[in-house]
Amino acid sequence: MMNYYVRVLIFALISSLCSAQEQDVTVLSFSEYLGYVKKYHPIAKQAQLTLQLGQANLMKARGSFDPKIEVDSERKVFKNIEYYDQLSTTFKIPTWYGIELKTSFEKNDGVFLNPQNSVPDEGLYSAGISASLGQGLFINKRMADLKKAKLFREQTKADREILINQILYNASIAYFDWLQTYNEVKIYEQFLENADIRFQGVKRSTEAGDKAAIDSIEARIIVKNRVLGLEQSKVKLMKSSLELSTFLWLNDDIPVELQEGVIPDIDIENNIDNVLEISGVSLSDFILDNHPKLQSLNFKYQSLEIDKRLKANKLLPKVDVHYNFLTTSPDLVSSFNSNQYKGGFNISIPLFLRKERGDLKLAKTKLQDARFDIDNVKITIQTKVLALFRELESFEVQNQLIEDIVSDYDAMLSAEERKFSFGESSVFLVNSREKSLIDSQLKAISLQNKYLKTKAKLFNSLSRDLQNL
């Protein structure tokens, strides 16, 4: 029963994807095919997770600046003697630079209470500030993590485009291979029909004594060769159909198997530029810095620069200071005065700074390595795009040439068939002309496949997402 419903869903999908061309034959257009790949393929869905990863990382980094409440309570009672009972509550507000605002309340008593912890019976309130004047003033780990998280969020957007582009490119290649094998099957079906008609005519002529028996055998061999070629092309079509099916999924993560009667769009060349959104794209319009791969690397480079600044900041001495006003009446602003306070400072610095200098050197090395990577990717993309534009220009010429060649071979075959009908030619010559025509048409199909794949490579080299699917 489950298989039945799956088949119903598959049929519904195919019906929505395709437009009727003739009875029992439906066309799966290139744009609709890519639309379903982008919407339902698991890798396309996985690409969306990169955005969630960036947002989660940013939320985590912002959490370092969240206000914090601390409560510390400790009590000791032994042999009915209360040694001490201490309560301390603190409210802290971290700020962007190495400054922290803090308010607290202390209430302590007990027979053996440490004198420095003695406070008035009603408790003691304090409000003040702590700051890092050396390390951590202009950049610290908390600030660096937040800056890097913002860069990582933007990086995930570029990475998502790259992932989506790659799956659409792979799906496009599968569609073009499917189209090629489908056209090859149609060629062999057409010429098998021609060979069979010719064989039947030669057979009748042989039976009537107008032609030698060897002509009938030769015509039969041609038919069998055409059948063999057709069977081989059908196997290739079956394999390419299965490959295409790996990119088709339903909404509930159900893979779809391509059904018989579904055919590719044979007029794909008329709209492939619009589908891949490369229509009108020229070298002069190509802005290298907008490439998602370079954007991703640049965001990574900026993140490494923040790391380098943080490591350089570690060379400074640690100078932490804090100052807190003390009062028993926090509701009266006048109760806060500079004569009642608790403050101090702490200074520390390693003598040789070998760890810090080593970390800084590593950070600089990583930064330099990232710069080399950016320069290499930049020239690679630029060269690849330039080569693809030149290749497409060449394909325009090649397509025209192969079209003329096919037309000439077709004219030669037609002329040979007319001569054969008048008894002025032989089955061998007709087969020779026909084989040349078949080879030229197969070459034209192969050339079309290379041309379409080059279009897809241009789309892939630009690493763009498709917005109109």
Side-chain angles (χ1 to χ4, degrees), residues 199-407:
F199 168 64
Q200 297 300 331
V202 172
K203 183 179 179 181
R204 286 193 295 269
S205 297
T206 301
E207 292 172 350
D210 295 336
K211 291 185 180 296
I214 194 67
D215 289 338
S216 178
I217 295 174
E218 186 173 5
R220 187 171 67 246
I221 291 174
I222 295 171
V223 171
K224 290 182 178 179
N225 278 327
R226 298 292 180 267
V227 172
L228 179 62
L230 178 59
E231 286 302 312
Q232 291 174 339
S233 63
K234 283 182 177 179
V235 171
K236 291 171 62 179
L237 178 60
M238 179 269 295
K239 289 182 178 179
S240 63
S241 298
L242 290 176
E243 179 66 23
L244 185 81
S245 297
T246 62
F247 293 95
L248 288 175
W249 293 72
L250 289 176
N251 191 24
D252 298 324
D253 297 330
I254 300 175
V256 177
E257 183 177 346
L258 200 66
Q259 301 298 293
E260 292 185 7
V262 180
I263 64 173
D265 181 9
I266 59 175
D267 297 323
I268 188 174
E269 288 188 35
N270 295 330
N271 62 359
I272 183 173
D273 286 357
N274 292 329
V275 174
L276 295 180
E277 298 178 11
I278 56 175
S279 179
V281 174
S282 62
L283 278 175
S284 59
D285 297 329
F286 177 57
I287 302 176
L288 190 60
D289 291 337
N290 291 340
H291 195 281
K293 180 64 175 177
L294 282 175
Q295 288 180 337
S296 178
L297 289 175
N298 281 324
F299 286 129
K300 179 181 178 182
Y301 182 84
Q302 293 176 47
S303 181
L304 291 174
E305 280 188 320
I306 294 173
D307 270 336
K308 189 198 77 169
R309 287 182 56 202
L310 183 61
K311 296 297 189 298
N313 186 258
K314 295 290 185 181
L315 297 176
L316 298 175
K318 282 187 176 181
V319 182
D320 297 329
V321 299
H322 63 92
Y323 184 89
N324 297 273
F325 292 102
L326 301 177
T327 182
T328 57
S329 306
D331 51 332
L332 299 176
V333 178
S334 60
S335 66
F336 290 98
N337 66 76
S338 59
N339 294 324
Q340 299 179 151
Y341 68 91
K342 181 173 66 174
F345 66 89
N346 177 270
I347 300 176
S348 67
I349 182 172
L351 294 179
F352 300 109
L353 295 171
R354 284 181 290 194
K355 179 181 181 301
E356 290 75 10
R357 287 187 287 115
D359 286 341
L360 179 58
K361 189 172 183 179
L362 287 173
K364 289 181 177 179
T365 302
K366 290 180 180 179
L367 200 60
Q368 191 175 24
D369 181 69
R371 171 49 60 190
F372 289 149
D373 196 15
I374 290 174
D375 293 340
N376 178 62
V377 170
K378 185 178 293 187
I379 192 64
T380 299
I381 293 174
Q382 196 170 25
T383 303
K384 185 177 181 180
V385 171
L386 177 61
L388 289 171
F389 273 107
R390 297 291 180 263
E391 191 175 354
L392 287 173
E393 291 174 359
S394 175
F395 272 122
E396 297 288 345
V397 178
Q398 294 180 50
N399 284 334
Q400 185 59 53
L401 289 173
I402 196 65
E403 184 179 335
D404 294 341
I405 291 172
V406 170
S407 179

Side-chain angles (χ1 to χ4, degrees), residues 186-201:
K186 288 303 175 183
I187 286 177
Y188 280 110
E189 286 178 346
Q190 174 189 346
F191 284 100
L192 172 59
E193 182 180 357
N194 293 345
D196 187 61
I197 293 174
R198 191 182 308 115
F199 168 64
Q200 297 300 331

Side-chain angles (χ1 to χ4, degrees), residues 66-274:
D66 288 346
K68 184 185 298 184
I69 296 177
E70 297 177 357
V71 178
D72 184 13
S73 177
E74 191 171 355
R75 186 179 188 186
K76 180 179 178 180
V77 177
F78 183 67
K79 292 184 178 182
N80 296 324
I81 299 175
E82 184 181 84
Y83 279 59
Y84 55 81
D85 185 2
Q86 296 177 288
L87 173 65
S88 174
T89 62
T90 305
F91 178 64
K92 298 179 180 179
I93 304 177
T95 61
W96 179 246
Y97 293 103
I99 298 173
E100 188 174 75
L101 305 178
K102 181 173 69 173
T103 63
S104 64
F105 170 74
E106 290 182 74
K107 185 173 177 60
N108 308 318
D109 56 33
V111 176
F112 298 104
L113 182 68
N114 191 324
Q116 72 174 7
N117 294 327
S118 296
V119 296
D121 293 340
E122 62 272 23
L124 184 65
Y125 297 86
S126 66
I129 185 173
S130 62
S132 297
L133 302 181
Q135 286 187 26
L137 178 60
F138 295 108
I139 185 168
N140 51 49
K141 188 177 185 305
R142 186 167 57 197
M143 296 162 60
D145 286 344
L146 182 55
K147 287 181 177 181
K148 290 195 294 183
K150 290 180 178 180
L151 291 172
F152 181 69
R153 180 185 59 179
E154 298 304 314
Q155 183 181 345
T156 57
K157 294 179 181 179
D159 290 341
R160 173 194 168 277
E161 281 197 50
I162 295 172
L163 288 173
I164 293 290
N165 177 275
Q166 187 62 41
I167 188 60
L168 292 178
Y169 167 73
N170 294 336
S172 299
I173 297 300
Y175 188 93
F176 301 151
D177 288 339
W178 179 46
L179 174 63
Q180 179 183 11
T181 54
Y182 171 79
N183 285 331
E184 289 176 355
V185 168
K186 288 303 175 183
I187 286 177
Y188 280 110
E189 286 178 346
Q190 174 189 346
F191 284 100
L192 172 59
E193 182 180 357
N194 293 345
D196 187 61
I197 293 174
R198 191 182 308 115
F199 168 64
Q200 297 300 331
V202 172
K203 183 179 179 181
R204 286 193 295 269
S205 297
T206 301
E207 292 172 350
D210 295 336
K211 291 185 180 296
I214 194 67
D215 289 338
S216 178
I217 295 174
E218 186 173 5
R220 187 171 67 246
I221 291 174
I222 295 171
V223 171
K224 290 182 178 179
N225 278 327
R226 298 292 180 267
V227 172
L228 179 62
L230 178 59
E231 286 302 312
Q232 291 174 339
S233 63
K234 283 182 177 179
V235 171
K236 291 171 62 179
L237 178 60
M238 179 269 295
K239 289 182 178 179
S240 63
S241 298
L242 290 176
E243 179 66 23
L244 185 81
S245 297
T246 62
F247 293 95
L248 288 175
W249 293 72
L250 289 176
N251 191 24
D252 298 324
D253 297 330
I254 300 175
V256 177
E257 183 177 346
L258 200 66
Q259 301 298 293
E260 292 185 7
V262 180
I263 64 173
D265 181 9
I266 59 175
D267 297 323
I268 188 174
E269 288 188 35
N270 295 330
N271 62 359
I272 183 173
D273 286 357
N274 292 329

